[in-house]
Short mmCIF file of all heavy atoms in Angstrom, two decimals:
data_model
loop_
_atom_site.label_atom_id
_atom_site.label_comp_id
_atom_site.label_asym_id
_atom_site.label_seq_id
_atom_site.Cartn_x
_atom_site.Cartn_y
_atom_site.Cartn_z
N ILE S 1 12.22 -25.33 -8.74
CA ILE S 1 12.05 -24.08 -8.02
C ILE S 1 11.88 -22.95 -9.04
O ILE S 1 12.66 -22.82 -9.97
CB ILE S 1 13.27 -23.79 -7.12
CG1 ILE S 1 13.40 -24.86 -6.05
CG2 ILE S 1 13.17 -22.41 -6.50
CD1 ILE S 1 14.67 -24.79 -5.25
N LYS S 2 10.85 -22.14 -8.85
CA LYS S 2 10.59 -21.00 -9.71
C LYS S 2 10.97 -19.74 -8.93
O LYS S 2 10.28 -19.36 -7.98
CB LYS S 2 9.11 -20.98 -10.11
CG LYS S 2 8.66 -19.74 -10.82
CD LYS S 2 9.02 -19.75 -12.26
CE LYS S 2 8.35 -18.56 -12.94
NZ LYS S 2 8.67 -18.43 -14.30
N VAL S 3 12.09 -19.13 -9.30
CA VAL S 3 12.54 -17.89 -8.68
C VAL S 3 12.09 -16.73 -9.56
O VAL S 3 12.25 -16.79 -10.78
CB VAL S 3 14.07 -17.88 -8.49
CG1 VAL S 3 14.53 -16.55 -7.91
CG2 VAL S 3 14.51 -19.03 -7.59
N VAL S 4 11.53 -15.71 -8.93
CA VAL S 4 11.06 -14.54 -9.66
C VAL S 4 11.65 -13.29 -9.04
O VAL S 4 12.04 -13.26 -7.88
CB VAL S 4 9.52 -14.43 -9.67
CG1 VAL S 4 8.89 -15.58 -10.44
CG2 VAL S 4 8.95 -14.34 -8.27
N VAL S 5 11.72 -12.25 -9.86
CA VAL S 5 12.07 -10.93 -9.37
C VAL S 5 10.83 -10.06 -9.54
O VAL S 5 10.18 -10.08 -10.58
CB VAL S 5 13.31 -10.35 -10.09
CG1 VAL S 5 13.10 -10.24 -11.57
CG2 VAL S 5 13.69 -9.00 -9.52
N LEU S 6 10.46 -9.37 -8.46
CA LEU S 6 9.28 -8.53 -8.44
C LEU S 6 9.71 -7.08 -8.25
O LEU S 6 10.53 -6.78 -7.38
CB LEU S 6 8.36 -8.91 -7.28
CG LEU S 6 7.93 -10.37 -7.18
CD1 LEU S 6 7.21 -10.61 -5.86
CD2 LEU S 6 7.06 -10.74 -8.36
N LYS S 7 9.17 -6.19 -9.04
CA LYS S 7 9.37 -4.76 -8.83
C LYS S 7 8.06 -4.25 -8.24
O LYS S 7 6.99 -4.37 -8.86
CB LYS S 7 9.67 -4.05 -10.16
CG LYS S 7 10.01 -2.60 -9.99
CD LYS S 7 11.33 -2.42 -9.24
CE LYS S 7 11.79 -0.97 -9.31
NZ LYS S 7 13.10 -0.79 -8.74
N LEU S 8 8.12 -3.74 -7.02
CA LEU S 8 6.93 -3.30 -6.31
C LEU S 8 6.70 -1.80 -6.48
O LEU S 8 7.63 -1.06 -6.79
CB LEU S 8 7.06 -3.63 -4.82
CG LEU S 8 7.34 -5.10 -4.47
CD1 LEU S 8 7.43 -5.27 -2.96
CD2 LEU S 8 6.30 -6.01 -5.07
N VAL S 9 5.48 -1.36 -6.27
CA VAL S 9 5.15 0.06 -6.40
C VAL S 9 5.95 0.91 -5.41
O VAL S 9 6.15 2.10 -5.63
CB VAL S 9 3.63 0.34 -6.26
CG1 VAL S 9 2.85 -0.31 -7.37
CG2 VAL S 9 3.11 -0.07 -4.90
N SER S 10 6.44 0.31 -4.35
CA SER S 10 7.27 1.02 -3.36
C SER S 10 8.67 1.30 -3.88
O SER S 10 9.42 2.04 -3.26
CB SER S 10 7.37 0.18 -2.08
OG SER S 10 8.04 -1.05 -2.38
N GLY S 11 9.02 0.68 -5.02
CA GLY S 11 10.36 0.82 -5.58
C GLY S 11 11.27 -0.33 -5.23
O GLY S 11 12.36 -0.45 -5.80
N GLU S 12 10.86 -1.17 -4.30
CA GLU S 12 11.69 -2.32 -3.92
C GLU S 12 11.75 -3.34 -5.05
O GLU S 12 10.77 -3.55 -5.76
CB GLU S 12 11.12 -2.99 -2.67
CG GLU S 12 11.18 -2.15 -1.43
CD GLU S 12 10.40 -2.77 -0.29
OE1 GLU S 12 9.21 -3.05 -0.49
OE2 GLU S 12 11.00 -2.96 0.77
N GLU S 13 12.91 -3.97 -5.15
CA GLU S 13 13.08 -5.09 -6.07
C GLU S 13 13.28 -6.32 -5.19
O GLU S 13 14.19 -6.36 -4.36
CB GLU S 13 14.31 -4.85 -6.95
CG GLU S 13 14.46 -5.84 -8.06
CD GLU S 13 15.57 -5.44 -9.03
OE1 GLU S 13 15.70 -4.25 -9.33
OE2 GLU S 13 16.29 -6.35 -9.47
N VAL S 14 12.42 -7.32 -5.34
CA VAL S 14 12.38 -8.47 -4.46
C VAL S 14 12.62 -9.74 -5.26
O VAL S 14 11.97 -9.98 -6.28
CB VAL S 14 11.02 -8.57 -3.73
CG1 VAL S 14 10.96 -9.80 -2.84
CG2 VAL S 14 10.75 -7.31 -2.92
N LEU S 15 13.55 -10.57 -4.78
CA LEU S 15 13.75 -11.92 -5.32
C LEU S 15 13.06 -12.88 -4.37
O LEU S 15 13.17 -12.74 -3.13
CB LEU S 15 15.23 -12.27 -5.38
CG LEU S 15 16.02 -11.62 -6.50
CD1 LEU S 15 17.51 -11.67 -6.20
CD2 LEU S 15 15.72 -12.30 -7.82
N ALA S 16 12.33 -13.86 -4.91
CA ALA S 16 11.61 -14.81 -4.06
C ALA S 16 11.32 -16.08 -4.83
O ALA S 16 11.36 -16.11 -6.07
CB ALA S 16 10.31 -14.19 -3.57
N LYS S 17 11.00 -17.12 -4.09
CA LYS S 17 10.51 -18.36 -4.70
C LYS S 17 9.00 -18.22 -4.85
O LYS S 17 8.29 -17.98 -3.87
CB LYS S 17 10.83 -19.56 -3.81
CG LYS S 17 12.31 -19.84 -3.69
CD LYS S 17 12.54 -21.04 -2.79
CE LYS S 17 14.01 -21.30 -2.59
NZ LYS S 17 14.24 -22.46 -1.70
N LEU S 18 8.50 -18.36 -6.07
CA LEU S 18 7.06 -18.29 -6.32
C LEU S 18 6.45 -19.65 -6.00
O LEU S 18 6.75 -20.65 -6.65
CB LEU S 18 6.77 -17.90 -7.76
CG LEU S 18 5.30 -17.77 -8.15
CD1 LEU S 18 4.62 -16.67 -7.35
CD2 LEU S 18 5.16 -17.51 -9.64
N GLU S 19 5.61 -19.69 -4.99
CA GLU S 19 4.97 -20.94 -4.57
C GLU S 19 3.68 -21.18 -5.34
O GLU S 19 3.41 -22.28 -5.79
CB GLU S 19 4.70 -20.92 -3.06
CG GLU S 19 5.95 -20.75 -2.20
CD GLU S 19 6.90 -21.92 -2.30
OE1 GLU S 19 6.49 -23.03 -2.69
OE2 GLU S 19 8.10 -21.72 -1.98
N ARG S 20 2.88 -20.12 -5.47
CA ARG S 20 1.61 -20.21 -6.21
C ARG S 20 1.05 -18.80 -6.33
O ARG S 20 1.54 -17.87 -5.73
CB ARG S 20 0.62 -21.14 -5.52
CG ARG S 20 0.20 -20.72 -4.14
CD ARG S 20 -0.58 -21.82 -3.40
NE ARG S 20 -0.84 -21.43 -2.03
CZ ARG S 20 0.03 -21.51 -1.04
NH1 ARG S 20 1.24 -21.96 -1.25
NH2 ARG S 20 -0.31 -21.13 0.19
N GLU S 21 -0.01 -18.68 -7.11
CA GLU S 21 -0.69 -17.39 -7.22
C GLU S 21 -2.17 -17.62 -7.45
O GLU S 21 -2.59 -18.68 -7.91
CB GLU S 21 -0.08 -16.53 -8.32
CG GLU S 21 -0.20 -17.07 -9.72
CD GLU S 21 0.44 -16.14 -10.74
OE1 GLU S 21 -0.09 -15.02 -10.95
OE2 GLU S 21 1.44 -16.54 -11.33
N ASP S 22 -2.95 -16.61 -7.09
CA ASP S 22 -4.38 -16.64 -7.39
C ASP S 22 -4.73 -15.28 -8.00
O ASP S 22 -3.85 -14.55 -8.41
CB ASP S 22 -5.21 -16.98 -6.14
CG ASP S 22 -5.04 -15.99 -5.00
OD1 ASP S 22 -4.75 -14.80 -5.25
OD2 ASP S 22 -5.22 -16.40 -3.84
N ASP S 23 -6.00 -14.97 -8.06
CA ASP S 23 -6.41 -13.71 -8.70
C ASP S 23 -5.94 -12.47 -7.95
O ASP S 23 -5.80 -11.41 -8.54
CB ASP S 23 -7.94 -13.66 -8.84
CG ASP S 23 -8.46 -14.68 -9.83
OD1 ASP S 23 -7.68 -15.13 -10.68
OD2 ASP S 23 -9.65 -15.03 -9.74
N THR S 24 -5.69 -12.60 -6.65
CA THR S 24 -5.38 -11.44 -5.81
C THR S 24 -3.94 -11.39 -5.33
O THR S 24 -3.36 -10.32 -5.22
CB THR S 24 -6.31 -11.43 -4.58
OG1 THR S 24 -7.66 -11.55 -5.02
CG2 THR S 24 -6.16 -10.16 -3.79
N PHE S 25 -3.35 -12.56 -5.04
CA PHE S 25 -2.04 -12.60 -4.39
C PHE S 25 -1.03 -13.46 -5.15
O PHE S 25 -1.38 -14.45 -5.78
CB PHE S 25 -2.15 -13.19 -2.97
CG PHE S 25 -2.90 -12.32 -2.01
CD1 PHE S 25 -4.21 -12.60 -1.69
CD2 PHE S 25 -2.29 -11.21 -1.44
CE1 PHE S 25 -4.91 -11.81 -0.80
CE2 PHE S 25 -2.98 -10.41 -0.55
CZ PHE S 25 -4.29 -10.70 -0.23
N LEU S 26 0.25 -13.06 -5.01
CA LEU S 26 1.37 -13.93 -5.33
C LEU S 26 1.81 -14.49 -3.98
O LEU S 26 2.03 -13.74 -3.03
CB LEU S 26 2.53 -13.15 -5.94
CG LEU S 26 2.26 -12.49 -7.28
CD1 LEU S 26 3.44 -11.61 -7.66
CD2 LEU S 26 2.02 -13.53 -8.35
N VAL S 27 1.91 -15.80 -3.87
CA VAL S 27 2.36 -16.42 -2.63
C VAL S 27 3.81 -16.82 -2.86
O VAL S 27 4.11 -17.62 -3.74
CB VAL S 27 1.48 -17.64 -2.27
CG1 VAL S 27 1.97 -18.27 -0.98
CG2 VAL S 27 0.01 -17.23 -2.17
N VAL S 28 4.71 -16.23 -2.06
CA VAL S 28 6.13 -16.45 -2.22
C VAL S 28 6.75 -16.92 -0.91
O VAL S 28 6.17 -16.77 0.17
CB VAL S 28 6.85 -15.17 -2.71
CG1 VAL S 28 6.29 -14.70 -4.04
CG2 VAL S 28 6.79 -14.06 -1.68
N SER S 29 7.94 -17.49 -1.02
CA SER S 29 8.73 -17.84 0.16
C SER S 29 10.14 -17.29 -0.01
O SER S 29 10.57 -17.02 -1.13
CB SER S 29 8.75 -19.36 0.38
OG SER S 29 9.38 -20.01 -0.70
N LYS S 30 10.81 -17.11 1.09
CA LYS S 30 12.19 -16.63 1.14
C LYS S 30 12.42 -15.34 0.34
O LYS S 30 13.36 -15.24 -0.44
CB LYS S 30 13.15 -17.72 0.69
CG LYS S 30 13.04 -18.97 1.54
CD LYS S 30 14.15 -19.94 1.28
CE LYS S 30 13.98 -21.21 2.08
NZ LYS S 30 14.42 -21.18 3.41
N PRO S 31 11.57 -14.33 0.53
CA PRO S 31 11.76 -13.07 -0.20
C PRO S 31 12.97 -12.29 0.32
O PRO S 31 13.19 -12.20 1.53
CB PRO S 31 10.46 -12.31 0.05
CG PRO S 31 9.99 -12.81 1.38
CD PRO S 31 10.40 -14.26 1.43
N MET S 32 13.74 -11.76 -0.60
CA MET S 32 14.92 -10.96 -0.29
C MET S 32 14.88 -9.68 -1.13
O MET S 32 14.59 -9.74 -2.33
CB MET S 32 16.20 -11.73 -0.60
CG MET S 32 16.34 -13.05 0.14
SD MET S 32 16.64 -12.86 1.89
CE MET S 32 18.38 -12.57 1.88
N VAL S 33 15.19 -8.56 -0.52
CA VAL S 33 15.22 -7.27 -1.21
C VAL S 33 16.62 -7.06 -1.77
O VAL S 33 17.63 -7.27 -1.08
CB VAL S 33 14.86 -6.11 -0.25
CG1 VAL S 33 14.99 -4.77 -0.94
CG2 VAL S 33 13.45 -6.30 0.28
N VAL S 34 16.68 -6.64 -3.03
CA VAL S 34 17.95 -6.31 -3.68
C VAL S 34 18.35 -4.90 -3.25
O VAL S 34 17.55 -3.97 -3.37
CB VAL S 34 17.82 -6.38 -5.22
CG1 VAL S 34 19.12 -5.98 -5.89
CG2 VAL S 34 17.37 -7.76 -5.66
#
């Protein structure tokens, strides 16, 4: 399982499982906001 923390332009900090990514999107599951 690859867990990542994302800091979004909205200011939210999100923990999620990174499922895959492409040129445009990060595809995650079980995202939770800190």
Side-chain angles (χ1 to χ4, degrees):
I1 297 171
K2 171 80 172 177
V3 177
V4 295
V5 59
L6 306 171
K7 186 67 169 186
L8 305 181
V9 296
S10 63
E12 293 171 305
E13 189 171 320
V14 178
L15 285 162
K17 294 180 183 179
L18 181 63
E19 300 294 339
R20 62 191 174 280
E21 64 180 292
D22 60 28
D23 292 339
T24 308
F25 292 102
L26 296 173
V27 180
V28 300
S29 63
K30 302 191 183 278
M32 302 289 279
V33 176
V34 178

